[in-house]
């Protein structure tokens, strides 16, 4: 049957928790007098991985503020709160409940951010016998179709080439068709180690209003066993507040963003980063407005090129690139395990109870803030997962639950592709494996550590040092031909037998005896999670 869209028909417009943008495609052509907007807090979304308490409170508060703004703008909004008696706990069953109560002829939704949700929604037209229109999410700067065209025929994808196309497409930092300053990428200028003289501005801190207070008490009551501290709560929860965060970043942090992008200092979780990923990923900020604000700061001489280019690259480059890969490669991408890594994730990823100070600090900050900056995620938490050989399913579940900016489209490629090299080098050209000296160079963590970063072997040697070599040796057949890492095997071959034996013994000891604080972690598969509709599974 051919379905003809009639502009006046009553439409149900579903807005998901990460679609809090007033210009979202699902709201375009709305008829405010007729249409119904549906938003719902559902148990399944909060628990399919056990999200950080702060993340749930943030999102529920932002959703409630957004619904309020929609109502003030004249929309008819149906909003299901988590505690509502009739709440059925899933998107699909909430949709079914709404359709029983409301006579609508058409469902409109913007393309969701996660594959499992898309698959669910794709079934609704048949389930509910009603046309379902899934619209492109035009907040992103590159559609999945455009990315697929770019990727077509390439054996390996490289962010750098994709990024150059995006720079040209959006005319960002370009002059006469050439990159501003002559180079496309100033990454080599963005690796200054931290020093004692750095003055790091205070981070944005929002006052808690009644809506946020309610969301926080709901989380405290319903999710006490989830990881993370609920308080103090300081996130922005409206677009106006998110814009303030962006402006503060542009004025106070951007000038140093480039130089100290990779630096880590104990007790300084925020550094010169922007802390806007929470807002970008749920729609309170839009990528183009963020990069334009940074470009303007450069044009007005308020921030140097290495900082502005670096920031713009993260957003129009990395962010769009990982999303492109996600939609191109799902669902197979979630199963990738190139190194066949099988270790359980250690308990200290949840408790912070480890003698390794770098990991201790990064987990503590994650627990407190639902945030860690990129190098903490990549070179401390991620690097350890890689060289200790932790199962990618468990690592992904951890990263997806603990960060307030984590949605699978962005988390999975960063973890499985960039960090664990679980895709065998499709996203990144080499694994980001490193010994302790990298962490020592870029941070002050080693000063307060129980281990000695300069020691390569023995009981008090930094575990990163021997695990790094052990990782290379365990995976020699898979990595030796990699031109960016192959030379390390020549170094290993030149080592004496005693040294090689020490690496092997220390690693074995660490990964068995010292690693006994492992627990058999229950994964979402173990809990019988299947996604899709069904009945409420708790509360
Ligand atoms: P800044 O350093 O200030 O960067 C500016 C913006 O650029 C960020 O807000 C973000 O939108 C974008 N960006 C930067 N790097 C990346 C990247 N690699 N991929 C996508 N966008 C990027 N980012 C998420 O948004 N959600 C995640 O779940 C997530 N998981 C990650 C897991 C691992 C193991 C790693 C290594 C990286 C992950 N990232 C993730 C990317 C990056 O670490 C965060 O985007 C960044 O730390 C957010 O902090 P910020 O806003 O202060 O970023
Ligand atoms: C992350 C999240 C959480 C915790 N809760 C909800 C919710 O109750 N309702 C909702 O619409 N969205 C929530 N989200 C965000 C969704 O998980 C996200 O919209 C989907 O994963 C699609 O990207
Ligand atoms: Fe981390 Fe090793 Fe430094 Fe300790 S010595 S902080 S374990 S890198």
């Amino acid at each position: 049957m051919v379905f003809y869209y009639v502009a006046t028909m009553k439409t149900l417009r579903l807005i998901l928790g990460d679609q809090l943008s007033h210009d979202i495609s699902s709201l375009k052509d709305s008829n405010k007098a007729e249409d119904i907007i549906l938003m719902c807090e559902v148990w399944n979304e909060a628990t399919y991985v056990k999200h950080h308490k702060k993340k749930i409170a943030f999102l529920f508060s932002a959703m409630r503020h957004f619904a309020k703004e929609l109502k003030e703008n004249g929309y008819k909004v149906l909003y299901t709160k988590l505690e509502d008696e009739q709440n059925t706990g899933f998107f699909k069953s909430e949709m079914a409940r709404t359709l029983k109560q409301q006579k609508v002829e058409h469902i409109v939704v913007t393309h969701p951010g996660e594959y499992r949700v898309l698959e669910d929604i794709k079934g609704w037209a048949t389930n509910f016998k009603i046309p379902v229109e899934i619209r492109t999410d035009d907040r992103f700067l590159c559609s999945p179709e455009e990315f697929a065209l770019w990727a077509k025929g390439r054996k390996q994808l490289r962010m750098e080439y994709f990024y150059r196309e995006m720079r040209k497409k959006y005319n960002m930092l370009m002059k006469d068709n050439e990159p501003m300053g002559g180079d496309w990428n100033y990454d080599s200028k963005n690796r200054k180690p931290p020093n004692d003289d750095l003055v790091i501005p205070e981070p944005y801190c929002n006052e808690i209003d009644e809506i946020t207070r309610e969301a926080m008490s709901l989380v405290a009551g319903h999710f006490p066993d989830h990881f993370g501290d609920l308080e103090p709560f300081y996130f922005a929860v409206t677009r106006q507040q998110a814009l303030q965060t962006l402006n503060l970043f542009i004025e106070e942090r951007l000038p140093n963003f480039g130089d100290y992008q990779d630096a880590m200092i104990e007790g300084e979780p925020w550094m010169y980063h922007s802390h806007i990923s929470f807002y970008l990923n749920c729609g309170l900020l839009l990528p183009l407005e963020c990069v334009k604000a940074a470009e303007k700061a450069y044009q007005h001489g308020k921030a140097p090129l290495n900082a502005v280019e670096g920031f713009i690259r993260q957003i129009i480059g990395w962010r769009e690139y990982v999303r492109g890969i996600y939609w191109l490669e799902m669902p197979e991408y979630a199963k990738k395990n190139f190194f066949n890594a099988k270790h359980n994730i250690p308990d200290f990823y949840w408790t912070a109870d480890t003698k390794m100070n770098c990991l201790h600090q990064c987990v503590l900050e994650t627990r407190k803030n639902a945030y860690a900056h990129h190098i903490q995620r990549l070179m401390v938490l991620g690097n350890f997962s890689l060289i200790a050989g932790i199962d990618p399913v468990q690592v992904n579940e951890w990263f997806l639950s603990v960060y307030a900016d984590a949605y699978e489209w962005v988390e999975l490629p960063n973890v499985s592709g960039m960090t664990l090299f679980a895709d065998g080098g499709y996203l990144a050209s080499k694994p980001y494996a490193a010994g302790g000296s990298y962490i020592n160079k870029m941070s002050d963590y080693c000063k307060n550590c129980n281990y000695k970063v300069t020691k390569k072997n023995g009981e008090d040697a930094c575990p990163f040092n021997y695990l790094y070599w052990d990782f290379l040796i365990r995976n020699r057949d898979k990595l030796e031909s990699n031109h960016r890492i192959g030379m390390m095997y020549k170094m290993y071959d030149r080592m004496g037998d005693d040294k090689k034996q020490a690496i092997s013994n220390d690693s074995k000891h660490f990964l068995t005896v010292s690693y006994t604080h492992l627990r058999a972690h229950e994964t979402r598969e173990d809990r019988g999670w299947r996604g899709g509709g069904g009945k409420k599974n708790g509360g």
Side-chain angles (χ1 to χ4, degrees), residues 356-359 436 439-440 445-446 449 451-453 462-464:
M356 290 178 277
N357 192 40
C358 51
L359 281 158
I439 295 172
N440 190 33
Y445 293 143
C446 302
C449 188
Y451 296 103
K452 292 191 173 60
V453 71
C462 167
F464 281 86

Side-chain angles (χ1 to χ4, degrees), residues 466-483:
Y466 46 80
L467 287 177
Y468 168 76
W469 284 109
D470 192 60
F471 160 75
L472 289 185
I473 301 319
R474 284 197 314 269
N475 298 298
R476 188 167 191 149
D477 58 327
K478 297 191 166 116
L479 290 176
E480 197 165 17
S481 59
N482 182 306
H483 72 284

Side-chain angles (χ1 to χ4, degrees), residues 43 46-47 108 113 121 124 128 253 347 353 390 405 423 441 463:
W43 190 263
T47 57
V108 171
I121 294 176
W124 292 358
F128 302 132
R253 297 178 128 85
D347 230 8
D353 188 10
I390 305 176
D405 57 22
D423 63 1
K441 182 176 159 219

